[in-house]
Amino acid sequence: MRGYVRDANNGEVLIGATVSVPQLGLGTSTNEEGVFTISLPEGEYALKASYIGYTSFSRDIRVTDGAQRINFTLDPVDTELKEVRVEAGGLRQKLNDTRMSVESLSSREAKLLPALFGEVDLVKTLQLKPGVQSGGEGTSGLYVRGGGPDQNLVLVDDALIYNPSHLFGFFSVFNPDAVKSVDLYKGGFPAQYGGRLSSVMDVKLNEGNNEKLTATGGLGLIASRLTLDGPIIKDKLTFTVSGRRTYVDIFTRQINRLSEGNADYDPIPDYHFYDLNGKLTYKAGKNDELSLSGYFGRDIFGFNDDKFKFNFDWGNTMGNLRWRHRFNNSLYATTSFYTSGYQYRINNAIDVFSAKLTSAVKDYTLKTDFDLFVKGGHSVKFGAMATRHHFIIGRLNFESDDSTQAFSTGTNLAGTEFGVYASDDYQVNAQLSLNYGLRLSGFSNNGKTYTALEPRIAAKYNLSESTSLKASYASMKQYVHLVSNSGASLPTDIWYPSTRGVEPQRSQQVAAGINKLFGRGRYLFTNEVYYKWMTNQLDFRDGANLFVNDNLQDEFLFGKGKSYGNEIYLEKVKGKTTGWLGYTLSWTYRKFDSENDLDDINEGRWFPTRYDRRHDISLVVLHQFNKRLSLTGTFVFGTGNAYSIPVARFIFQDVEGEDPSVIPIYQDRNSFRLAPYHRLDLSVVYKLKPKRGESDLTFSVYNVYNRRNPYFVYFEQVKDADRVETLGFQAKQVALFPLVPAITYNFKFR
């Protein structure tokens, strides 16, 4: 038996909806196409469909030998409550899902939580889940179970996005009004995903309302956003288009103009970002659907005066054409062709000289996925993909205005990545379900080809109606690498392919956990332990030259990594007070030893990474006072990031009469810790009552008790009274954000 589950208001499919037969203890979830399949013996049953934020619906059915098709349409719960009320079916869905180590989020949930400058951020909300850490104050990068920011596979409607950050990592590129749902896999990866080691972020965009035109958006402190969606041809062609832009630059430019005559005034650099999302969905017939989706985003930073000009822009571009076809009730296919790219450009001009530095990666991908529903409890998925990569590695062009002096340098590389996979989601019986698969991946570059088999398996066993055990194993390969000169992902980081001298990275992860539903289905407790080991981890020699280097791979070192920990999670999703509590205890280490002992890092011994965080706690509480007023709050605590600081210095006088050189002396890498990070955020959501649609005012306060969390530490010389002799060095801490209040007006008009 199979069918769809859709939203009754706009016709969009509901991904991850639960379809179950309570009297048999059997259940399943809809896939990314909103399709479910469930194998039942002959007889009469009550088939129930449920989804977070929607009213559950049951239908009496009679099962015979022939294939049957049952479709569900679910109504959202009362519009006055739907922002905070969640049905218990969502927790039972998590309990019965074969997948483990998966965090699911909707934009509706993310909009309730307090955010920096009131700007809703889906990635920051995911950082509040156990096993998911931020890189530090303000950053939107993810460090998942000991992995780096380059080890996350970020997909938007199945198309890859390379740099998911705006504002130097402070905000993510995802406009919440354009997003339907986000699934983050921390482990137990299904076989269709490949190319990264540590996580998969699967973002699904809204398809467009096929019933009526709607406008959704918000006005905030630093940015505004607007989304329009609706039918072009009713029940045939729908569209959705979203835009977002910051406008701080408008005010800073005005301040600069007013201060032009002040000789002591330092102009404020110009900065803004914007992004655009668009999607067309065309139902070509009963069995075919075409969609065209795209993303374009840019960050623009600049400083210009009479003598010096500096312009820096970076961003992603993505376009995806997708065709869904139903052969019959048992076989579906989705074929996509997409292009995706990321680039940054830095333009400098000093007097008559100008320099341009560019780095980019551009992909062209063709992929096909098949879903086959087989009698006997099997849901088979298989497919293939191929990607052609093009890399521009640090291309520099330098010239004078009269072209008498000019030179250029840089490297262009290319490679082809491919993958073939098959997996089976098998409901063995009412207690046991399995998801197992195998992926064959490979990468070819300049005559060198790497291949790998990546087995995956996950199992779920129901001890009782309210308790399940889960376990998983996954092997992953990564063929492209992020070349970074810092502990955080920056716009100037460079993507570099595997070559003869740069082998692909590999990880293996095992995980096991217990899930317990209690309190009449109001609470879900999960406890997962994991161990991950990695090879060919990339770092750099001391003093490595990462910019304008045509032999960049000569600066690389390769080593091992390991990460292990315990993640505890308690969630409540029913009642006036909802939320979750997460705690992670974890260890993350790297080890680099080479044939040349001088290139060893930490003398070849294991050392903690910068994002090794022993304790990580997050508490999220949402309370509904009445139909119009609600309060939300988040509290986070984390062990300070590991850090390397000098333990001593010596003075070296190489030229008489010149200032001496001060040489710092370091001990083991990352042997010190920054102060612990903790912060409380609060927001109040007040619902307005417009004549049409919905709207609210959200008042939020970021960092309520003004904690000055460390961003980085530097050392300042301590001089004598005459400011001549250096007496010592004093550590200084830089913090980014004090208490930051914000107000945002959100609306949805129909």
Side-chain angles (χ1 to χ4, degrees):
M1 179 165 294
R2 53 195 60 85
Y4 285 97
V5 181
R6 295 181 179 271
D7 185 309
N9 283 353
N10 56 33
E12 289 204 359
V13 298
L14 298 179
I15 303 168
T18 298
V19 179
S20 61
V21 181
Q23 66 198 86
L24 297 180
L26 293 175
T28 187
S29 300
T30 56
N31 62 15
E32 58 268 23
E33 314 298 338
V35 176
F36 73 90
T37 179
I38 187 168
S39 181
L40 301 173
E42 290 188 34
E44 295 183 354
Y45 308 100
L47 189 64
K48 180 180 179 181
S50 58
Y51 189 68
I52 296 174
Y54 288 76
T55 303
S56 299
F57 184 77
S58 293
R59 178 178 293 174
D60 292 331
I61 60 170
R62 179 176 180 82
V63 179
T64 61
D65 278 338
Q68 291 179 262
R69 184 179 179 86
I70 301 291
N71 295 327
F72 289 93
T73 56
L74 302 184
D75 292 306
V77 296
D78 191 309
T79 56
E80 293 289 353
L81 299 176
K82 71 178 182 180
E83 295 284 359
V84 295
R85 180 182 168 187
V86 181
E87 294 297 314
L91 293 184
R92 186 162 295 280
Q93 172 185 326
K94 293 181 180 180
L95 179 78
N96 292 326
D97 198 339
T98 307
R99 304 175 304 171
M100 68 177 302
S101 307
V102 180
E103 302 292 348
S104 297
L105 181 70
S106 69
S107 60
R108 180 185 303 171
E109 296 168 292
K111 289 178 182 178
L112 292 174
L113 301 184
L116 179 62
F117 298 114
E119 187 65 17
V120 175
D121 197 310
L122 296 170
V123 175
K124 278 190 173 60
T125 305
L126 289 172
Q127 290 174 358
L128 298 173
K129 301 291 187 175
V132 185
Q133 300 171 356
S134 68
E137 174 73 271
T139 62
S140 65
L142 295 181
Y143 296 80
V144 180
R145 290 185 172 178
D150 64 317
Q151 296 176 349
N152 304 313
L153 179 67
V154 181
L155 301 174
V156 176
D157 271 358
D158 295 329
L160 186 147
I161 295 291
Y162 273 95
N163 188 337
S165 298
H166 281 309
L167 190 57
F168 301 97
F170 293 144
F171 298 110
S172 75
V173 299
F174 304 116
N175 183 338
D177 294 331
V179 173
K180 178 192 297 184
S181 64
V182 180
D183 285 334
L184 179 71
Y185 295 81
K186 301 179 292 183
F189 308 103
Q192 68 261 34
Y193 299 118
R196 298 295 187 271
L197 299 188
S198 292
S199 78
V200 178
M201 186 190 302
D202 190 3
V203 180
K204 300 298 184 186
L205 299 179
N206 290 321
E207 295 180 357
N209 193 318
N210 65 11
E211 297 294 329
K212 52 193 170 184
L213 178 67
T214 63
T216 307
L219 302 173
L221 258 182
I222 67 168
S224 291
R225 63 187 195 276
L226 177 66
T227 298
L228 299 174
D229 69 329
I232 298 175
I233 303 174
K234 189 172 176 59
D235 296 325
K236 205 72 169 168
L237 178 63
T238 62
F239 81 97
T240 178
V241 60
S242 298
R244 178 175 58 160
R245 191 194 190 279
T246 58
Y247 35 69
V248 175
D249 59 307
I250 297 174
F251 301 106
T252 58
R253 289 174 190 171
Q254 185 63 29
I255 294 172
N256 288 340
R257 290 193 190 100
L258 294 174
S259 305
E260 283 180 352
N262 185 351
D264 297 326
Y265 177 74
D266 293 324
I268 303 171
D270 190 59
Y271 172 79
H272 69 276
F273 71 75
Y274 63 90
D275 46 43
L276 295 169
N277 292 273
K279 189 171 184 179
L280 287 171
T281 304
Y282 177 64
K283 299 185 187 307
K286 184 174 66 174
N287 297 324
D288 294 281
E289 180 180 284
L290 294 171
S291 65
L292 176 64
S293 56
Y295 171 85
F296 183 83
R298 284 293 181 270
D299 288 62
I300 299 173
F301 180 89
F303 179 84
N304 297 284
D305 63 18
D306 294 338
K307 295 183 178 180
F308 176 72
K309 294 183 179 180
F310 176 83
N311 294 286
F312 181 18
D313 68 87
W314 66 96
N316 299 276
T317 304
M318 182 274 287
N320 185 13
L321 178 63
R322 186 163 57 174
W323 171 38
R324 299 172 180 169
H325 177 69
R326 182 175 72 93
F327 293 94
N328 51 50
N329 284 343
S330 299
L331 181 61
Y332 298 77
T334 303
T335 300
S336 300
F337 173 75
Y338 72 81
T339 178
S340 178
Y342 171 75
Q343 71 169 16
Y344 73 79
R345 294 176 298 186
I346 300 175
N347 292 285
N348 285 341
I350 303 176
D351 290 332
V352 298
F353 298 101
S354 63
K356 180 179 179 181
L357 179 65
T358 304
S359 182
V361 56
K362 185 76 170 180
D363 290 351
Y364 299 91
T365 299
L366 179 65
K367 61 183 297 187
T368 302
D369 301 292
F370 292 88
D371 288 279
L372 176 64
F373 304 119
V374 182
K375 188 175 181 180
H378 296 272
S379 297
V380 178
K381 194 175 183 71
F382 59 95
M385 59 79 66
T387 298
R388 182 63 176 174
H389 300 280
H390 295 274
F391 302 87
I392 299 176
I393 311 297
R395 178 164 298 282
L396 175 66
N397 295 287
F398 177 86
E399 64 180 356
S400 60
D401 287 350
D402 58 7
S403 299
T404 58
Q405 301 182 51
F407 74 90
S408 64
T409 184
T411 305
N412 289 354
L413 297 174
T416 301
E417 185 174 355
F418 64 86
V420 180
Y421 76 91
S423 66
D424 181 16
D425 200 343
Y426 177 33
Q427 181 80 44
V428 181
N429 52 45
Q431 286 74 41
L432 178 64
S433 60
L434 302 172
N435 184 293
Y436 49 91
L438 183 66
R439 182 180 184 87
L440 170 64
S441 64
F443 190 90
S444 180
N445 177 355
N446 197 25
K448 176 62 178 178
T449 300
Y450 295 99
T451 59
L453 287 175
E454 304 174 30
R456 321 278 175 82
I457 185 169
K460 183 265 299 181
Y461 185 81
N462 290 334
L463 291 177
S464 67
E465 192 175 297
S466 60
T467 306
S468 65
L469 299 177
K470 297 184 181 183
S472 67
Y473 166 81
S475 174
M476 305 286 281
K477 275 279 190 177
Q478 180 166 333
Y479 297 98
V480 295
H481 320 274
L482 189 66
V483 180
S484 173
N485 65 344
S486 72
S489 179
L490 296 176
T492 53
D493 295 342
I494 296 170
W495 288 94
Y496 200 91
S498 294
T499 63
R500 288 184 182 276
V502 181
E503 296 185 6
Q505 303 177 58
R506 185 189 180 192
S507 76
Q508 298 180 80
Q509 182 181 162
V510 292
I514 184 170
N515 303 262
K516 175 68 175 178
L517 195 63
F518 62 97
R520 296 182 179 179
R522 295 189 176 191
Y523 299 89
L524 178 67
F525 172 82
T526 66
N527 187 12
E528 290 188 12
V529 295
Y530 69 91
Y531 189 95
K532 178 164 65 177
W533 58 103
M534 296 169 280
T535 56
N536 291 326
Q537 299 300 283
L538 187 147
D539 211 316
F540 309 100
R541 306 177 193 278
D542 291 335
N545 176 23
L546 303 185
F547 292 99
V548 196
N549 185 345
D550 290 345
N551 299 299
L552 188 59
Q553 69 182 47
D554 293 341
E555 308 287 350
F556 298 167
L557 293 176
F558 303 94
K560 302 175 182 178
K562 61 181 178 181
S563 180
Y564 49 92
N566 186 13
E567 299 168 3
I568 298 173
Y569 186 64
L570 178 65
E571 184 176 11
K572 180 178 185 288
V573 297
K574 193 174 184 180
K576 284 194 171 183
T577 302
T578 61
W580 67 80
L581 172 65
Y583 169 67
T584 304
L585 174 67
S586 62
W587 291 260
T588 301
Y589 296 100
R590 295 290 188 271
K591 179 181 180 181
F592 294 88
D593 48 9
S594 63
E595 296 179 359
N596 180 3
D597 292 341
L598 294 177
D599 287 332
D600 288 349
I601 298 177
N602 210 51
E603 298 181 348
R605 301 189 304 270
W606 290 100
F607 64 91
T609 63
R610 283 198 62 187
Y611 39 89
D612 170 65
R613 191 171 300 164
R614 197 69 63 243
H615 305 283
D616 195 89
I617 301 171
S618 59
L619 174 64
V620 176
V621 177
L622 304 92
H623 181 74
Q624 179 88 20
F625 290 103
N626 53 51
K627 291 184 177 182
R628 300 186 68 177
L629 184 64
S630 61
L631 172 70
T632 65
T634 62
F635 174 77
V636 294
F637 175 90
T639 301
N641 286 348
Y643 217 74
S644 296
I645 62 173
V647 296
R649 289 173 171 82
F650 71 86
I651 296 177
F652 178 70
Q653 182 75 46
D654 54 349
V655 179
E656 186 175 352
E658 296 291 335
D659 291 336
S661 299
V662 179
I663 310 299
I665 301 173
Y666 292 87
Q667 284 185 336
D668 292 347
R669 178 175 284 202
N670 295 337
S671 57
F672 292 87
R673 292 275 178 181
L674 294 178
Y677 182 98
H678 52 88
R679 191 189 78 241
L680 173 67
D681 306 329
L682 294 174
S683 72
V684 174
V685 179
Y686 182 75
K687 289 184 174 296
L688 305 175
K689 289 190 174 181
K691 293 182 179 179
R692 297 179 59 187
E694 310 162 28
S695 63
D696 67 66
L697 287 174
T698 299
F699 305 88
S700 65
V701 180
Y702 181 91
N703 196 6
V704 169
Y705 53 84
N706 200 31
R707 164 72 175 176
R708 304 313 297 265
N709 286 296
Y711 187 56
F712 65 86
V713 171
Y714 69 97
F715 286 84
E716 187 178 80
Q717 293 186 30
V718 179
K719 298 282 190 176
D720 61 9
D722 297 326
R723 307 285 302 169
V724 174
E725 184 180 351
T726 299
L727 302 178
F729 293 84
Q730 183 177 13
K732 296 284 188 177
Q733 172 183 297
V734 174
L736 285 183
F737 300 113
L739 180 150
V740 181
I743 181 170
T744 305
Y745 171 67
N746 300 296
F747 60 86
K748 184 172 184 178
F749 298 136
R750 301 184 180 93

